[in-house]
Amino acid sequence: MTVMRQGRIRRTTLVGAVCALVVTGTGLLAGCSEDADAGTNGVGKLPADTIQSKTRAAADSAEAVRLSGTVVTNGRTYTLDMRLKSGGGSGTVTSKGAAFGLLRIGEKLYLKADARFWNHADGNSESATSGTLDGKYVKVPQGDPSYKKFSGFTDKDVLLDGLLTLHGALAKDGHHEQAGTRTIRITGDKGSGGTLDVSLEGRPYPLRLERAGGAGTLTFSSWGKDFALTEPKKNETVDYGKQLPTS
């Protein structure tokens, strides 16, 4: 399957190169009008706004997805690697050099981090608390101010609703490729409002997003591939005992 896809991509690239260089008295060399959408799901022929609607619908209906990359919000950069589905999610978030893991199963949210994260949270380079929390799951109370923020990283609907938005007038920006999959790219405001690569193979899932204003770049993969969410064991869980940090 991969070999066939690579061969198709190489052939398309070769044809494009030949067509760019060779012309005859009546126009391009015969065969240079090959349909770039041949063998695809057909969304590349649709208007940009219709493509956006279809890719949003595909993303919303998918049972699961893996999301990785960077998100810039309120001047802070977060590096994400999350697997998400309707019942929760898990993965890692890094901000200001401190990484922490998140696990949400239903409404239960857990945060797991090393001593460096907790030292930073306590404002102490060698906090006694950090040694107890190092590598443990800390259950985040729903009443804690950090719950909404941290749970948002694990919520498929919340993240996709906030991310899969292009600003300004929509337009198509040609055929491209993302991780070996052919895509059609759509842009907002000629790119300044963000760009989104949509799969031309299978369902029209979003595969790569460049957010408007340099607010991060994300890739999407493993669409529809389920994964397990397992409650941490009791000996892996501790109580922080005070308000959790939000950074």
Side-chain angles (χ1 to χ4, degrees):
M1 191 76 173
T2 301
V3 173
M4 292 177 63
R5 182 182 297 125
Q6 291 175 342
R8 185 168 59 238
I9 293 171
R10 284 196 295 268
R11 181 170 179 270
T12 301
T13 302
L14 178 60
V15 169
V18 172
C19 291
L21 295 173
V22 183
V23 295
T24 65
T26 58
L28 290 177
L29 188 67
C32 289
S33 60
E34 181 174 318
D35 185 0
D37 291 299
T40 71
N41 55 23
V43 298
K45 296 182 178 181
L46 301 174
D49 58 346
T50 305
I51 296 173
Q52 183 182 52
S53 297
K54 286 186 172 294
T55 197
R56 285 298 301 268
D60 290 342
S61 64
E63 294 184 358
V65 64
R66 181 174 183 176
L67 179 155
S68 57
T70 58
V71 173
V72 181
T73 180
N74 295 324
R76 177 170 295 180
T77 300
Y78 296 91
T79 301
L80 312 179
D81 187 1
M82 302 295 302
R83 297 196 69 179
L84 311 169
K85 60 181 181 178
S86 59
S90 66
T92 59
V93 179
T94 302
S95 177
K96 292 186 175 181
F100 54 93
L102 292 172
L103 168 65
R104 183 176 63 83
I105 304 174
E107 295 183 345
K108 296 179 181 179
L109 176 66
Y110 300 91
L111 184 149
K112 182 179 181 181
D114 59 18
R116 179 181 177 183
F117 175 89
W118 296 113
N119 285 336
H120 175 74
D122 287 338
N124 187 336
S125 61
E126 295 183 3
S127 168
T129 306
S130 67
T132 304
L133 302 177
D134 185 13
K136 298 287 187 178
Y137 287 94
V138 174
K139 188 174 181 179
V140 183
Q142 292 188 44
D144 192 289
S146 64
Y147 182 91
K148 183 177 181 180
K149 177 177 181 177
F150 287 143
S151 63
F153 287 122
T154 67
D155 192 312
K156 173 179 174 286
D157 293 336
V158 168
L159 271 181
L160 294 185
D161 284 346
L163 294 173
L164 294 180
T165 301
L166 299 177
H167 303 279
L170 298 179
K172 294 193 290 188
D173 188 28
H175 292 72
H176 299 267
E177 177 193 339
Q178 175 62 30
T181 299
R182 289 180 293 174
T183 66
I184 182 71
R185 182 171 296 170
I186 57 176
T187 65
D189 198 19
K190 298 181 180 180
S192 62
T195 68
L196 182 65
D197 279 38
V198 177
S199 177
L200 287 175
E201 302 178 21
R203 299 207 65 189
Y205 291 124
L207 298 184
R208 186 176 185 274
L209 169 72
E210 289 188 16
R211 301 183 70 206
T217 300
L218 293 160
T219 59
F220 307 88
S221 60
S222 299
W223 284 105
K225 294 183 179 179
D226 196 13
F227 59 96
L229 291 171
T230 305
E231 291 266 8
K233 298 177 181 178
K234 286 187 177 181
N235 62 0
E236 297 175 329
T237 307
V238 295
D239 181 16
Y240 184 50
K242 50 186 171 180
Q243 183 175 310
L244 269 74
T246 58
S247 59

